[in-house]
Amino acid sequence: MQHTVDQLIARMCDPQEKEAYFFADKLSKIGNQEVIDKLILILKSENYENAILAARALGNIEENESALEDLFEVIHSKENKLRNGIFVQTLEGYDLSDRFVDLFRLYLFGNFKTSALAKELLDTVEFELTPRVLKKIEKHWSHFKNNIDQNSDEFEIKRSEVEIMLEEIREIFSEE
């Protein structure tokens, strides 16, 4: 198995390989901790194309919780700020129930693709919300409002969406 995993990784990372996605998918089917650990190293490497393949494979692994923190680290890294949408896309393969704040930040501060994908996740994932989560998103919202042109279309769109989110979350806690 060890030899096979290393061979699959080598094929996936080979820049001449036309079927690299096929090998990423094979690795995700194996999906053990050894594969996850090796894919995390590739995810965090400086090779963007290989990192994308590793993110894809990790997102398709059933028991992938151990990779989520590393994926968010890559998403939030300054090097990927303008190109992190492809990584955000792979978040669909994870349990995000306690990641509302991370997704909210991506929605507010991400590029167009990142923001749109984060909003879709915010709208579809069932989250574990707490008063602390509410405080954190209010803080991020305040920071966003203070650092954007409040006459812009982007601000108006986000303002209307965020106000609805905040109202719904506050309503949850007022019922308790």
Side-chain angles (χ1 to χ4, degrees):
M1 180 81 121
Q2 170 66 40
H3 190 63
T4 306
V5 169
D6 290 338
Q7 287 175 329
L8 291 172
I9 287 174
R11 296 284 304 268
M12 179 187 83
C13 294
D14 181 348
Q16 306 303 313
E17 180 57 63
K18 291 179 178 17
E19 302 290 326
Y21 284 110
F22 171 78
F23 295 103
D25 292 344
K26 277 186 131 4
L27 285 162
S28 66
K29 284 189 176 89
I30 296 171
N32 61 25
Q33 194 59 48
E34 175 200 0
V35 169
I36 291 172
D37 292 342
K38 289 182 179 200
L39 289 171
I40 288 171
L41 290 175
I42 296 166
L43 175 71
K44 296 173 98 176
S45 73
E46 295 191 16
N47 186 312
Y48 180 69
E49 286 77 23
N50 289 345
I52 291 169
L53 291 164
R56 172 192 172 105
L58 287 165
N60 289 329
I61 293 173
E62 188 113 354
E63 301 290 325
N64 59 8
E65 304 85 31
S66 62
L68 186 57
E69 199 61 45
D70 296 293
L71 180 56
F72 270 111
E73 188 179 312
V74 169
I75 289 169
H76 290 303
S77 76
K78 288 184 177 162
E79 299 83 38
N80 292 322
K81 183 168 175 48
L82 299 176
R83 60 181 189 178
N84 62 3
I86 193 86
F87 296 112
V88 173
Q89 198 169 344
T90 66
L91 287 171
E92 293 176 355
Y94 292 86
D95 173 9
L96 300 171
S97 60
D98 63 346
R99 301 300 244 184
F100 189 93
V101 175
D102 286 309
L103 293 170
F104 187 75
R105 283 181 54 212
L106 290 172
Y107 167 64
L108 289 179
F109 302 107
N111 61 39
F112 182 78
K113 180 178 182 176
T114 297
S115 182
L117 291 167
K119 178 67 168 95
E120 183 179 329
L121 290 167
L122 287 169
D123 289 343
T124 58
V125 172
E126 199 167 311
F127 293 99
E128 298 291 328
L129 298 173
T130 64
R132 183 176 177 176
V133 168
L134 177 59
K135 282 188 188 338
K136 285 182 176 184
I137 63 174
E138 287 173 332
K139 180 183 130 203
H140 289 302
W141 175 235
S142 178
H143 179 71
F144 180 80
K145 288 191 302 187
N146 292 329
N147 291 291
I148 190 170
D149 174 9
Q150 293 196 9
N151 296 316
S152 69
D153 289 341
E154 177 190 11
F155 175 76
E156 278 307 309
I157 291 168
K158 288 191 176 172
R159 183 187 59 74
S160 66
E161 292 175 342
V162 169
E163 284 178 358
I164 291 169
M165 277 188 238
L166 287 171
E167 184 179 317
E168 290 174 352
I169 294 169
R170 286 181 187 124
E171 208 171 274
I172 291 169
F173 296 120
S174 69
E175 292 172 359
E176 292 178 356

